[in-house]
Amino acid sequence: MKKIEKNVSGFRAANPEKLRRARFIDRPNRFLVRCELEGRPVRAFLPNPGRLWEILLPGTELILSEDGGNETRKTAFTAIAARRGETVVLLHTHITNDAAEWLIRTGRVPGLEGWAVRKREASFGRSRFDFLLEKEGRLLLLEVKSCTLFGHELAMFPDAPSDRGRRHVEELGKLAGEGYGAAVLFLVQSSRPSCFLPDFHTDPKFAESLFRAKDRLRLFPLAVEWNAALELTGEPKLLRVPWGVYERHGGDRGDCLVIVDAREKGFWAAAFPAENLSSFSGKALRRNGKDFPFPPESGGSVKVIPIRSSLPGSKNINDSLASCASGEVVKDGVRFFAFSEPPMANPGFVEMLLHRRTDLLLSELP
């Protein structure tokens, strides 16, 4: 397989001589992926704890860095980025801070022009923040988050519960209340979206903390674009934060997707409307799929995915499930949909979930 073509850019995420294209197979654990490289299976370190559901689908193109093996590494490759359609998405969370520093130093973050990086990894209070910036004698604490979750119009963070992220926001909000400058830079790894919100479906506690602190913190949801050589290209843009969408849809009502792994009987999914999603989700986990046509056998599992929204949804969700499922069974008036493979590996299922959690919520915006 050919190496990726080099280009010239101000910031490059990796040495282009070491980059290789591969195809994603599966993810044995949070920090390891298996993929196919030049017809052979290889393992690669994945420096990203996020779920990455909408990115890591079977066959997805990954961009690896061939770093070589040594006594401290179990793999010779690192997964740096992935291609999602025409978009190259940076996955390496540690490189995100390097990119953020370059963008700040070169004045490419609207609203942070003229600020200088005084220190990285600055400790204040009970937390350590990514940057301490300085401008004309003023100081600004800045935390950087990498956002890989986005639809066509709406980007969201985080894509997995983040107690650490919530603590950072709450500590920054407290310091801002004591007179310090405080900000969060969300580096959105695509130039496609126009809006940004905290992911209240996945981490409502983080979303509520950010909402409460929004008048004390400066928020910079910055969309960037990467080319195939993993160079920043184009001009970054700040995204709109439509807090009214959060206030309308960020409550505890909506629809709950329940997925059952019934082992030899396949995978099953069903959508349930719920006025109290937190309570319903807990109940669904405790029932362990007993209401399904084929409950989990030994070694099976149950996954619960909330979709928080004030929009009516179950009928449309069912119609979408029917279009990508391999079969359907009706039991006690509930439609249960069969899948031969895990639904989270089914592009149609994942696209439906992503749409309902992101762009559909913007449907009433002017």
Side-chain angles (χ1 to χ4, degrees):
M1 190 171 290
K2 294 182 179 180
K3 296 178 182 179
I4 294 175
E5 181 182 354
K6 292 186 290 184
N7 291 296
V8 178
S9 175
F11 182 85
R12 178 178 288 149
N15 181 351
E17 295 292 338
K18 294 184 177 182
L19 297 182
R20 305 290 184 268
R21 290 189 179 95
R23 293 289 175 184
F24 174 75
I25 298 174
D26 61 16
R27 187 182 187 181
N29 61 55
R30 284 199 305 168
F31 298 106
L32 183 70
V33 291
R34 290 196 314 126
C35 45
E36 181 183 341
L37 174 65
E38 297 178 345
R40 61 188 175 96
V42 300
R43 299 189 307 166
F45 171 55
L46 176 64
N48 191 316
R51 288 174 173 164
L52 305 175
W53 284 343
E54 71 291 347
I55 296 175
L56 296 182
L57 292 166
T60 292
E61 181 182 300
L62 296 181
I63 302 177
L64 310 182
S65 175
E66 187 173 4
D67 303 318
N70 57 48
E71 294 181 356
T72 62
R73 285 191 59 127
K74 296 182 179 179
T75 65
F77 298 92
T78 299
I80 303 291
R83 184 178 290 278
R84 185 179 155 203
E86 298 301 315
T87 302
V88 175
V89 183
L90 183 72
L91 300 180
H92 199 308
T93 56
H94 303 153
I95 295 175
T96 297
N97 282 15
D98 296 332
E101 180 174 2
W102 184 83
L103 290 165
I104 294 167
R105 289 187 183 278
T106 56
R108 285 174 166 82
V109 182
L112 288 180
E113 298 92 345
W115 286 88
V117 176
R118 177 170 172 178
K119 184 180 180 181
R120 288 184 63 159
E121 302 295 325
S123 295
F124 275 75
R126 297 174 297 173
S127 298
R128 184 171 60 183
F129 302 103
D130 292 319
F131 292 98
L132 177 63
L133 307 183
E134 183 177 19
K135 180 180 182 181
E136 299 174 353
R138 294 175 291 150
L139 299 178
L140 179 70
L141 287 165
L142 179 71
E143 183 66 12
V144 177
K145 304 295 183 186
S146 176
C147 174
T148 61
L149 172 64
F150 51 87
H152 291 280
E153 296 291 337
L154 179 62
M156 304 186 89
F157 176 91
D159 79 335
S162 176
D163 288 338
R164 180 173 179 270
R166 176 179 54 80
R167 288 195 302 269
H168 278 147
V169 166
E170 291 174 353
E171 186 71 10
L172 279 173
K174 180 181 177 182
L175 290 168
E178 296 172 355
Y180 293 92
V184 183
L185 171 63
F186 295 96
L187 203 64
V188 179
Q189 307 293 346
S190 170
S191 62
R192 186 169 65 181
S194 59
C195 297
F196 171 86
L197 281 173
D199 188 352
F200 49 82
H201 309 285
T202 299
D203 195 341
K205 291 181 180 179
F206 174 87
E208 182 63 17
S209 293
L210 191 66
F211 179 72
R212 290 179 178 178
K214 64 182 176 63
D215 294 328
R216 299 190 300 277
L217 297 182
R218 298 178 67 184
L219 302 182
F220 297 94
L222 187 71
V224 297
E225 183 176 345
W226 300 89
N227 63 19
L230 295 188
E231 299 161 333
L232 283 174
T233 183
E235 286 299 320
K237 65 176 181 180
L238 281 182
L239 304 186
R240 175 184 177 188
V241 184
W243 285 115
V245 172
Y246 170 74
E247 290 177 289
R248 180 178 178 192
H249 299 294
D252 205 30
R253 62 177 297 191
D255 291 276
C256 190
L257 282 173
V258 181
I259 301 173
V260 165
D261 176 0
R263 306 298 288 176
E264 294 183 0
K265 298 298 179 69
F267 297 86
W268 294 82
F272 301 91
E275 291 294 325
N276 188 324
L277 275 172
S278 299
S279 175
F280 186 92
S281 297
K283 181 180 178 181
L285 287 172
R286 290 191 299 272
R287 290 194 62 78
N288 197 36
K290 293 179 180 178
D291 299 328
F292 276 63
F294 301 102
E297 299 177 357
S298 176
S301 63
V302 174
K303 184 190 297 292
V304 175
I305 304 174
I307 302 174
R308 302 180 188 277
S309 173
S310 62
L311 299 172
S314 293
K315 182 182 183 302
N316 292 335
I317 291 176
N318 281 333
D319 291 343
S320 297
L321 288 172
S323 69
C324 59
S326 59
E328 177 180 346
V329 171
V330 178
K331 179 184 176 184
D332 299 327
V334 177
R335 298 172 69 182
F336 296 90
F337 299 92
F339 292 83
S340 56
E341 300 292 336
M344 297 311 300
N346 182 301
F349 182 96
V350 172
E351 184 61 31
M352 178 276 296
L353 177 61
L354 179 64
H355 175 69
R356 298 202 69 85
R357 282 179 147 197
T358 59
D359 297 338
L360 186 62
L361 301 178
L362 301 181
S363 58
E364 297 180 356
L365 281 181

